[in-house]
């Protein structure tokens, strides 16, 4: 049952990721990316990361993807033309083959990794309490720096989006 | 329970798809979306290995990756909007003014 669920999820994930990369219309690419991120949240639940799965849906599919769709619609983008002249077509094919080779090498790396036996998850694994305890003790400095980073990310776009010379 | 190497394999395939997307697309926004796929593939690796080791450290790292991805999307899209105002285009071939 668990194996079947994983295989279905993996097939859907790969399909939707390919749709993001290959669909010429940016809005449909973005919707496929929403599906990809949502399916990944389900995979995170299978791995016991409940808190991160909820954050994935709120932050990624909720906030980041709305930002992407907003910009795509603000700029009123149409379909990207699919290249037909020969160098572009050949280069796209070569890029696809290089990607397949990269995936093959990464899979071989994974297959040879000394992973050992899976540890039984402790009580409350991946819940808000356990993640928060780790976040506010061992990782409190990176956490504060993340706050600074987000502040920069708030001010930066405001500066970038200003019209200069007026 | 599915062995962890299956999750790592899925993550490797998703990362390669994202990398190919960065190379073959000419629309800057779609390239940013392909980068998001790559970031999420790495997040899947972190979460799978965190489960394997029974520790939440990997999940905390994913939390930071999400924060950085949010910042990257906000700043990147602002740059794209500013670029579109100047050139009326989001094609990376028009973004080559710094290239020698």
């Amino acid at each position: 049952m668990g194996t079947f669920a994983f295989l279905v999820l993996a097939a859907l994930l790969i399909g939707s990721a390919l749709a993001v990369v290959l669909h010429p219309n940016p809005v449909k690419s973005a919707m496929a990316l929403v599906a990809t991120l949502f399916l990944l949240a389900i995979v995170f639940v299978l791995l016991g990361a409940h808190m991160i799965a909820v954050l994935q849906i709120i932050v990624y599919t909720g906030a980041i993807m709305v930002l992407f769709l907003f910009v795509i619609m603000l700029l009123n983008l149409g379909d990207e033309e699919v290249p037909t002249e020969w160098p572009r077509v050949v280069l796209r094919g070569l890029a696809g083959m290089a990607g397949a080779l990269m995936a093959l090498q990464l899979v071989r790396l994974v297959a040879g990794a000394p992973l050992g036996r899976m540890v039984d998850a402790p009580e409350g694994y991946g819940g808000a309490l356990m993640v928060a305890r780790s976040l506010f003790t061992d990782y409190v400095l990176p956490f504060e720096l993340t706050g600074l980073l987000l502040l920069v990310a708030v001010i930066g776009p405001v500066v970038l989006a200003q019209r200069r010379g007026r | 329970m599915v062995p962890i190497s299956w999750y790592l394999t899925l993550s490797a395939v998703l990362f390669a798809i994202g990398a190919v997307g960065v190379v073959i697309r000419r629309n800057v926004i779609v390239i940013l979306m392909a980068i998001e796929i790559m970031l999420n593939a790495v997040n899947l690796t972190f979460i799978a290995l965190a489960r394997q080791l029974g520790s939440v450290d990997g999940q905390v790292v994913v939390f930071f990756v999400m924060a950085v991805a949010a910042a990257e999307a906000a700043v990147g899209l602002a740059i794209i909007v500013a670029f579109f105002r100047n050139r009326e285009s989001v094609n990376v071939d028009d973004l080559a003014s710094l290239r020698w």
Side-chain angles (χ1 to χ4, degrees):
Chain A
M1 183 58 210
T3 311
F4 179 71
F6 175 82
L7 289 177
V8 170
L9 271 174
L12 287 172
L13 258 171
I14 291 171
S16 58
L18 281 175
V20 175
V21 167
L22 297 176
H23 204 290
N25 186 319
V27 175
K28 286 174 185 158
S29 267
M31 294 320 289
L33 185 53
V34 171
T36 311
L37 298 172
F38 194 84
L39 289 165
L40 260 176
I42 300 173
V43 175
F44 289 173
V45 171
L46 287 183
L47 284 166
H50 306 287
M51 175 74 182
I52 295 294
V54 171
L55 281 178
Q56 169 94 357
I57 291 174
I58 295 174
V59 174
Y60 260 117
T61 62
I64 297 181
M65 287 321 296
V66 168
L67 200 62
F68 270 99
L69 280 172
F70 180 77
V71 170
I72 292 170
M73 290 174 175
L74 180 76
L75 303 184
N76 199 14
L77 301 178
D79 287 11
E80 185 179 335
E81 80 277 26
V82 180
T84 47
E85 72 273 39
W86 75 267
R88 277 281 164 78
V89 175
V90 172
L91 285 176
R92 272 168 80 104
L94 281 177
M97 282 196 307
L101 210 64
M102 183 183 182
L104 200 71
Q105 286 297 322
L106 285 170
V107 169
R108 276 182 46 172
L109 197 69
V110 166
L115 285 172
R117 214 184 58 79
M118 193 190 293
V119 179
D120 287 330
E123 182 71 26
Y125 177 76
L129 182 67
M130 204 163 165
V131 176
R133 191 167 282 152
S134 182
L135 196 59
F136 290 115
T137 53
D138 297 341
Y139 294 94
V140 71
L141 182 64
F143 180 74
E144 297 293 341
L145 289 176
T146 304
L148 192 67
L149 174 77
L150 289 174
L151 180 68
V152 173
V154 169
I155 298 170
V158 173
V159 175
L160 280 172
Q162 265 175 357
R163 287 182 187 278
R164 297 205 176 77
R166 287 202 186 177
Chain B
M1 181 90 191
V2 182
I4 238 61
S5 57
W6 292 24
Y7 290 97
L8 297 179
T9 305
L10 173 62
S11 155
V13 172
L14 285 177
F15 188 88
I17 292 174
V20 171
V22 171
V23 176
I24 66 170
R25 295 305 294 259
R26 304 260 62 91
N27 183 328
V28 191
I29 296 181
V30 180
I31 290 177
L32 268 185
M33 291 199 271
I35 292 174
E36 297 291 341
I37 293 181
M38 292 166 80
L39 283 171
N40 273 280
V42 177
N43 280 355
L44 178 58
T45 307
F46 271 119
I47 292 209
L49 288 173
R51 176 67 191 78
Q52 171 84 6
L53 300 171
S55 113
V56 288
D57 287 358
Q59 299 188 10
V60 174
V61 173
V62 170
F63 175 85
F64 292 130
V65 171
M66 278 182 184
V68 173
E72 169 246 303
V75 177
L77 289 170
I79 292 173
I80 291 171
V81 170
F83 170 65
F84 186 81
R85 274 200 197 134
N86 285 326
R87 298 281 178 89
E88 292 288 319
S89 160
V90 287
N91 192 315
V92 277
D93 293 332
D94 299 328
L95 246 171
S97 49
L98 272 180
R99 194 170 67 185
W100 180 62

PDB file of all heavy atoms in Angstrom, chain A residues 75-94:
ATOM      1  N   LEU A  75       2.803  41.413 -16.135  1.00  0.00           N
ATOM      2  CA  LEU A  75       3.571  41.651 -17.353  1.00  0.00           C
ATOM      3  C   LEU A  75       2.807  41.166 -18.580  1.00  0.00           C
ATOM      4  O   LEU A  75       3.238  41.400 -19.707  1.00  0.00           O
ATOM      5  CB  LEU A  75       4.928  40.946 -17.273  1.00  0.00           C
ATOM      6  CG  LEU A  75       5.805  41.334 -16.085  1.00  0.00           C
ATOM      7  CD1 LEU A  75       7.151  40.650 -16.177  1.00  0.00           C
ATOM      8  CD2 LEU A  75       5.998  42.837 -16.008  1.00  0.00           C
ATOM      9  N   ASN A  76       1.679  40.475 -18.367  1.00  0.00           N
ATOM     10  CA  ASN A  76       0.808  40.031 -19.461  1.00  0.00           C
ATOM     11  C   ASN A  76       1.585  39.210 -20.496  1.00  0.00           C
ATOM     12  O   ASN A  76       1.633  39.540 -21.676  1.00  0.00           O
ATOM     13  CB  ASN A  76       0.153  41.246 -20.125  1.00  0.00           C
ATOM     14  CG  ASN A  76      -1.058  40.843 -20.915  1.00  0.00           C
ATOM     15  OD1 ASN A  76      -1.546  39.718 -20.765  1.00  0.00           O
ATOM     16  ND2 ASN A  76      -1.533  41.729 -21.764  1.00  0.00           N
ATOM     17  N   LEU A  77       2.228  38.134 -20.013  1.00  0.00           N
ATOM     18  CA  LEU A  77       3.085  37.327 -20.872  1.00  0.00           C
ATOM     19  C   LEU A  77       2.274  36.317 -21.676  1.00  0.00           C
ATOM     20  O   LEU A  77       1.380  35.680 -21.151  1.00  0.00           O
ATOM     21  CB  LEU A  77       4.106  36.563 -20.026  1.00  0.00           C
ATOM     22  CG  LEU A  77       5.036  37.419 -19.177  1.00  0.00           C
ATOM     23  CD1 LEU A  77       5.932  36.525 -18.365  1.00  0.00           C
ATOM     24  CD2 LEU A  77       5.841  38.332 -20.060  1.00  0.00           C
ATOM     25  N   GLY A  78       2.624  36.174 -22.950  1.00  0.00           N
ATOM     26  CA  GLY A  78       1.994  35.159 -23.783  1.00  0.00           C
ATOM     27  C   GLY A  78       2.846  33.905 -23.838  1.00  0.00           C
ATOM     28  O   GLY A  78       3.778  33.735 -23.052  1.00  0.00           O
ATOM     29  N   ASP A  79       2.519  33.017 -24.784  1.00  0.00           N
ATOM     30  CA  ASP A  79       3.294  31.790 -24.945  1.00  0.00           C
ATOM     31  C   ASP A  79       4.712  32.129 -25.394  1.00  0.00           C
ATOM     32  O   ASP A  79       4.925  33.075 -26.151  1.00  0.00           O
ATOM     33  CB  ASP A  79       2.650  30.880 -26.006  1.00  0.00           C
ATOM     34  CG  ASP A  79       1.387  30.254 -25.483  1.00  0.00           C
ATOM     35  OD1 ASP A  79       0.915  30.686 -24.407  1.00  0.00           O
ATOM     36  OD2 ASP A  79       0.866  29.350 -26.140  1.00  0.00           O
ATOM     37  N   GLU A  80       5.667  31.334 -24.901  1.00  0.00           N
ATOM     38  CA  GLU A  80       7.041  31.439 -25.370  1.00  0.00           C
ATOM     39  C   GLU A  80       7.108  30.671 -26.688  1.00  0.00           C
ATOM     40  O   GLU A  80       6.610  29.553 -26.768  1.00  0.00           O
ATOM     41  CB  GLU A  80       7.962  30.807 -24.321  1.00  0.00           C
ATOM     42  CG  GLU A  80       9.431  30.949 -24.603  1.00  0.00           C
ATOM     43  CD  GLU A  80      10.261  30.312 -23.484  1.00  0.00           C
ATOM     44  OE1 GLU A  80       9.770  30.214 -22.354  1.00  0.00           O
ATOM     45  OE2 GLU A  80      11.385  29.890 -23.766  1.00  0.00           O
ATOM     46  N   GLU A  81       7.702  31.302 -27.745  1.00  0.00           N
ATOM     47  CA  GLU A  81       7.715  30.571 -29.020  1.00  0.00           C
ATOM     48  C   GLU A  81       8.680  29.395 -28.925  1.00  0.00           C
ATOM     49  O   GLU A  81       9.778  29.526 -28.341  1.00  0.00           O
ATOM     50  CB  GLU A  81       8.040  31.486 -30.207  1.00  0.00           C
ATOM     51  CG  GLU A  81       9.485  31.836 -30.435  1.00  0.00           C
ATOM     52  CD  GLU A  81       9.942  32.997 -29.572  1.00  0.00           C
ATOM     53  OE1 GLU A  81       9.348  33.227 -28.490  1.00  0.00           O
ATOM     54  OE2 GLU A  81      10.897  33.673 -29.961  1.00  0.00           O
ATOM     55  N   VAL A  82       8.247  28.235 -29.418  1.00  0.00           N
ATOM     56  CA  VAL A  82       9.096  27.044 -29.414  1.00  0.00           C
ATOM     57  C   VAL A  82      10.066  27.169 -30.573  1.00  0.00           C
ATOM     58  O   VAL A  82       9.653  27.453 -31.700  1.00  0.00           O
ATOM     59  CB  VAL A  82       8.238  25.772 -29.562  1.00  0.00           C
ATOM     60  CG1 VAL A  82       9.122  24.537 -29.564  1.00  0.00           C
ATOM     61  CG2 VAL A  82       7.224  25.701 -28.431  1.00  0.00           C
ATOM     62  N   PRO A  83      11.402  27.014 -30.304  1.00  0.00           N
ATOM     63  CA  PRO A  83      12.371  27.231 -31.369  1.00  0.00           C
ATOM     64  C   PRO A  83      12.234  26.194 -32.481  1.00  0.00           C
ATOM     65  O   PRO A  83      11.964  25.029 -32.231  1.00  0.00           O
ATOM     66  CB  PRO A  83      13.713  27.081 -30.664  1.00  0.00           C
ATOM     67  CG  PRO A  83      13.430  26.327 -29.439  1.00  0.00           C
ATOM     68  CD  PRO A  83      12.028  26.646 -29.050  1.00  0.00           C
ATOM     69  N   THR A  84      12.379  26.658 -33.743  1.00  0.00           N
ATOM     70  CA  THR A  84      12.299  25.746 -34.883  1.00  0.00           C
ATOM     71  C   THR A  84      13.591  25.732 -35.696  1.00  0.00           C
ATOM     72  O   THR A  84      13.852  24.777 -36.410  1.00  0.00           O
ATOM     73  CB  THR A  84      11.133  26.149 -35.817  1.00  0.00           C
ATOM     74  OG1 THR A  84      11.207  27.558 -36.020  1.00  0.00           O
ATOM     75  CG2 THR A  84       9.797  25.800 -35.220  1.00  0.00           C
ATOM     76  N   GLU A  85      14.410  26.807 -35.596  1.00  0.00           N
ATOM     77  CA  GLU A  85      15.657  26.823 -36.378  1.00  0.00           C
ATOM     78  C   GLU A  85      16.615  25.775 -35.805  1.00  0.00           C
ATOM     79  O   GLU A  85      16.589  25.488 -34.598  1.00  0.00           O
ATOM     80  CB  GLU A  85      16.288  28.219 -36.412  1.00  0.00           C
ATOM     81  CG  GLU A  85      16.930  28.705 -35.141  1.00  0.00           C
ATOM     82  CD  GLU A  85      15.948  29.397 -34.210  1.00  0.00           C
ATOM     83  OE1 GLU A  85      14.792  28.942 -34.093  1.00  0.00           O
ATOM     84  OE2 GLU A  85      16.325  30.392 -33.592  1.00  0.00           O
ATOM     85  N   TRP A  86      17.478  25.194 -36.662  1.00  0.00           N
ATOM     86  CA  TRP A  86      18.160  23.967 -36.279  1.00  0.00           C
ATOM     87  C   TRP A  86      19.101  24.052 -35.088  1.00  0.00           C
ATOM     88  O   TRP A  86      19.116  23.141 -34.286  1.00  0.00           O
ATOM     89  CB  TRP A  86      18.844  23.315 -37.491  1.00  0.00           C
ATOM     90  CG  TRP A  86      20.108  23.996 -37.947  1.00  0.00           C
ATOM     91  CD1 TRP A  86      20.213  24.961 -38.895  1.00  0.00           C
ATOM     92  CD2 TRP A  86      21.416  23.767 -37.462  1.00  0.00           C
ATOM     93  NE1 TRP A  86      21.508  25.367 -39.036  1.00  0.00           N
ATOM     94  CE2 TRP A  86      22.275  24.651 -38.167  1.00  0.00           C
ATOM     95  CE3 TRP A  86      21.968  22.919 -36.505  1.00  0.00           C
ATOM     96  CZ2 TRP A  86      23.640  24.704 -37.932  1.00  0.00           C
ATOM     97  CZ3 TRP A  86      23.331  22.977 -36.271  1.00  0.00           C
ATOM     98  CH2 TRP A  86      24.157  23.866 -36.973  1.00  0.00           C
ATOM     99  N   PRO A  87      19.923  25.162 -34.894  1.00  0.00           N
ATOM    100  CA  PRO A  87      20.844  25.077 -33.744  1.00  0.00           C
ATOM    101  C   PRO A  87      20.104  24.961 -32.419  1.00  0.00           C
ATOM    102  O   PRO A  87      20.493  24.208 -31.542  1.00  0.00           O
ATOM    103  CB  PRO A  87      21.658  26.360 -33.840  1.00  0.00           C
ATOM    104  CG  PRO A  87      21.140  27.141 -34.968  1.00  0.00           C
ATOM    105  CD  PRO A  87      20.042  26.428 -35.606  1.00  0.00           C
ATOM    106  N   ARG A  88      19.000  25.717 -32.296  1.00  0.00           N
ATOM    107  CA  ARG A  88      18.236  25.697 -31.054  1.00  0.00           C
ATOM    108  C   ARG A  88      17.645  24.315 -30.775  1.00  0.00           C
ATOM    109  O   ARG A  88      17.711  23.821 -29.649  1.00  0.00           O
ATOM    110  CB  ARG A  88      17.093  26.723 -31.135  1.00  0.00           C
ATOM    111  CG  ARG A  88      17.512  28.118 -30.799  1.00  0.00           C
ATOM    112  CD  ARG A  88      17.601  28.287 -29.283  1.00  0.00           C
ATOM    113  NE  ARG A  88      18.332  29.464 -28.884  1.00  0.00           N
ATOM    114  CZ  ARG A  88      17.832  30.689 -28.904  1.00  0.00           C
ATOM    115  NH1 ARG A  88      16.613  30.892 -29.330  1.00  0.00           N
ATOM    116  NH2 ARG A  88      18.545  31.695 -28.506  1.00  0.00           N
ATOM    117  N   VAL A  89      17.090  23.687 -31.824  1.00  0.00           N
ATOM    118  CA  VAL A  89      16.465  22.373 -31.630  1.00  0.00           C
ATOM    119  C   VAL A  89      17.510  21.350 -31.190  1.00  0.00           C
ATOM    120  O   VAL A  89      17.304  20.590 -30.243  1.00  0.00           O
ATOM    121  CB  VAL A  89      15.763  21.927 -32.932  1.00  0.00           C
ATOM    122  CG1 VAL A  89      15.213  20.523 -32.770  1.00  0.00           C
ATOM    123  CG2 VAL A  89      14.663  22.897 -33.303  1.00  0.00           C
ATOM    124  N   VAL A  90      18.684  21.385 -31.865  1.00  0.00           N
ATOM    125  CA  VAL A  90      19.749  20.434 -31.534  1.00  0.00           C
ATOM    126  C   VAL A  90      20.244  20.678 -30.112  1.00  0.00           C
ATOM    127  O   VAL A  90      20.431  19.742 -29.312  1.00  0.00           O
ATOM    128  CB  VAL A  90      20.904  20.553 -32.555  1.00  0.00           C
ATOM    129  CG1 VAL A  90      22.093  19.720 -32.116  1.00  0.00           C
ATOM    130  CG2 VAL A  90      20.431  20.119 -33.927  1.00  0.00           C
ATOM    131  N   LEU A  91      20.402  21.995 -29.762  1.00  0.00           N
ATOM    132  CA  LEU A  91      20.907  22.312 -28.425  1.00  0.00           C
ATOM    133  C   LEU A  91      19.924  21.876 -27.346  1.00  0.00           C
ATOM    134  O   LEU A  91      20.325  21.394 -26.288  1.00  0.00           O
ATOM    135  CB  LEU A  91      21.177  23.814 -28.318  1.00  0.00           C
ATOM    136  CG  LEU A  91      22.438  24.286 -29.038  1.00  0.00           C
ATOM    137  CD1 LEU A  91      22.558  25.795 -28.960  1.00  0.00           C
ATOM    138  CD2 LEU A  91      23.671  23.637 -28.451  1.00  0.00           C
ATOM    139  N   ARG A  92      18.616  22.028 -27.631  1.00  0.00           N
ATOM    140  CA  ARG A  92      17.608  21.565 -26.660  1.00  0.00           C
ATOM    141  C   ARG A  92      17.715  20.063 -26.453  1.00  0.00           C
ATOM    142  O   ARG A  92      17.637  19.571 -25.327  1.00  0.00           O
ATOM    143  CB  ARG A  92      16.201  21.919 -27.143  1.00  0.00           C
ATOM    144  CG  ARG A  92      15.737  23.285 -26.714  1.00  0.00           C
ATOM    145  CD  ARG A  92      14.485  23.671 -27.446  1.00  0.00           C
ATOM    146  NE  ARG A  92      13.307  23.063 -26.882  1.00  0.00           N
ATOM    147  CZ  ARG A  92      12.443  23.728 -26.120  1.00  0.00           C
ATOM    148  NH1 ARG A  92      12.650  24.989 -25.842  1.00  0.00           N
ATOM    149  NH2 ARG A  92      11.367  23.134 -25.649  1.00  0.00           N
ATOM    150  N   GLY A  93      17.892  19.323 -27.574  1.00  0.00           N
ATOM    151  CA  GLY A  93      18.040  17.873 -27.459  1.00  0.00           C
ATOM    152  C   GLY A  93      19.262  17.498 -26.648  1.00  0.00           C
ATOM    153  O   GLY A  93      19.207  16.627 -25.769  1.00  0.00           O
ATOM    154  N   LEU A  94      20.382  18.216 -26.913  1.00  0.00           N
ATOM    155  CA  LEU A  94      21.612  17.949 -26.165  1.00  0.00           C
ATOM    156  C   LEU A  94      21.420  18.237 -24.679  1.00  0.00           C
ATOM    157  O   LEU A  94      21.897  17.479 -23.825  1.00  0.00           O
ATOM    158  CB  LEU A  94      22.758  18.812 -26.714  1.00  0.00           C
ATOM    159  CG  LEU A  94      23.408  18.315 -27.999  1.00  0.00           C
ATOM    160  CD1 LEU A  94      24.464  19.300 -28.454  1.00  0.00           C
ATOM    161  CD2 LEU A  94      24.029  16.949 -27.787  1.00  0.00           C
TER     162      LEU A  94
END
